[in-house]
Amino acid sequence: MTLALRVIACLDVHDGRVVKGVNFTGLADAGDPVELAAAYGAAGIDELTFLDISASHEGRSTTREVVRSTAERVFIPLTVGGGVRSVLDVDELLRTGADKVGVNTAALARPELITEISHRFGNQVLVLSVDARREPGQPSGFGVTTHGGRRSAGVDALAWAIEGAERGAGEILLNSMDADGTTDGFDLEMISAVRDAVDIPVIASGGAGTADHFVEAARAGADAVLAASVFHYGVVTIDQVKSALAEAGFVIRTGSRA
């Protein structure tokens, strides 16, 4: 059976508000996260991802309140990331209403965290977020970054995705930091490279600007396509993306589940 290709909206949360910029800079207010989540649910989005980009203690507390409020109003899978450092953090987020939890910086610092979370909760709850950009010094040509893409982690992105999958990650959220917020299209070469290297779902993120861009990412091997600013500001609608994917021959989910 062919699995439906998922369309995901990402809400970058900072101090309790959704923000969006280009390459994680020049952040602009994009609205109330709970209201946006409800609107996306009504519009037929398949999943939502909340990322606490401030990663501060206060920001994570705010995000938990956002998660709780959202889970009470929107009945679609919700992934939460940002500041997750331990099994206890994951437990708290799942109890708050998250369905899946994203890890990034803490997993780079201590890869065993991936194994610990997977063993405790199952790999279906664990999304490994990989913020990558082109880095000629790395074997694959792609390197992992931290701090919103501003610092190289000195790790090959392809090797890290493979290790994450082997350690028990259930999905890879592959975010192109070169393309993030540019609306020039996904990094298709990066998507294809990671898709060929791992046997878990790959979520393509970074660069969407038109409905056709989502089709291109799916053709490159993405199992799910994620966007933020083009959805927040109505540049592209959920219906337009799903229609384009369906016309290109991809199986999609239909109808609202909010």
Side-chain angles (χ1 to χ4, degrees), residues 23-75:
N23 303 129
F24 278 55
T25 62
L27 299 178
D29 190 290
D32 177 79
V34 179
E35 294 302 323
L36 274 173
Y40 281 129
I45 199 72
D46 297 320
E47 296 186 15
L48 289 168
T49 294
F50 280 148
L51 297 179
D52 173 10
I53 63 172
S54 65
S56 65
H57 176 72
E58 293 79 11
R60 290 197 299 276
S61 296
T62 301
T63 299
R64 284 196 288 271
E65 291 306 314
V66 169
V67 171
R68 182 178 290 106
S69 297
T70 301
E72 292 172 352
R73 293 184 59 181
V74 183
F75 306 103

Side-chain angles (χ1 to χ4, degrees), residues 184-218:
D184 291 332
F186 294 91
D187 190 324
L188 305 180
E189 184 181 354
M190 182 189 293
I191 295 167
S192 294
V194 175
R195 171 67 286 157
D196 290 343
V198 301
D199 59 2
I200 59 176
V202 175
I203 304 166
S205 170
T210 69
D212 286 341
H213 287 159
F214 293 87
V215 174
E216 292 169 359

Side-chain angles (χ1 to χ4, degrees), residues 24 51 102-105 107-108 114 127-133 140 142-146 148-149 153 155-165 169 171-178 180 190-191 194 198 200-206:
F24 278 55
L51 297 179
V103 296
N104 187 345
T105 304
L108 278 167
I114 300 172
V127 179
L128 178 63
S129 184
V130 180
D131 292 340
R133 73 179 344 141
S140 70
F142 301 103
V144 179
T145 70
T146 61
V155 176
D156 182 81
L158 202 59
W160 177 233
I162 293 170
E163 180 178 353
E171 294 182 279
I172 300 290
L173 171 52
L174 182 65
N175 187 33
S176 169
M177 299 310 298
D178 293 317
D180 179 76
M190 182 189 293
I191 295 167
V194 175
V198 301
I200 59 176
V202 175
I203 304 166
S205 170

Side-chain angles (χ1 to χ4, degrees), residues 90-133:
V90 175
D91 186 63
E92 289 179 353
L93 286 169
L94 293 176
R95 290 177 184 275
T96 301
D99 298 285
K100 294 183 277 189
V101 174
V103 296
N104 187 345
T105 304
L108 278 167
R110 196 172 69 83
E112 294 81 9
L113 178 63
I114 300 172
T115 307
E116 293 166 3
I117 295 171
S118 178
H119 283 176
R120 172 73 179 273
F121 304 103
N123 69 350
Q124 75 279 357
V125 308
L126 181 55
V127 179
L128 178 63
S129 184
V130 180
D131 292 340
R133 73 179 344 141

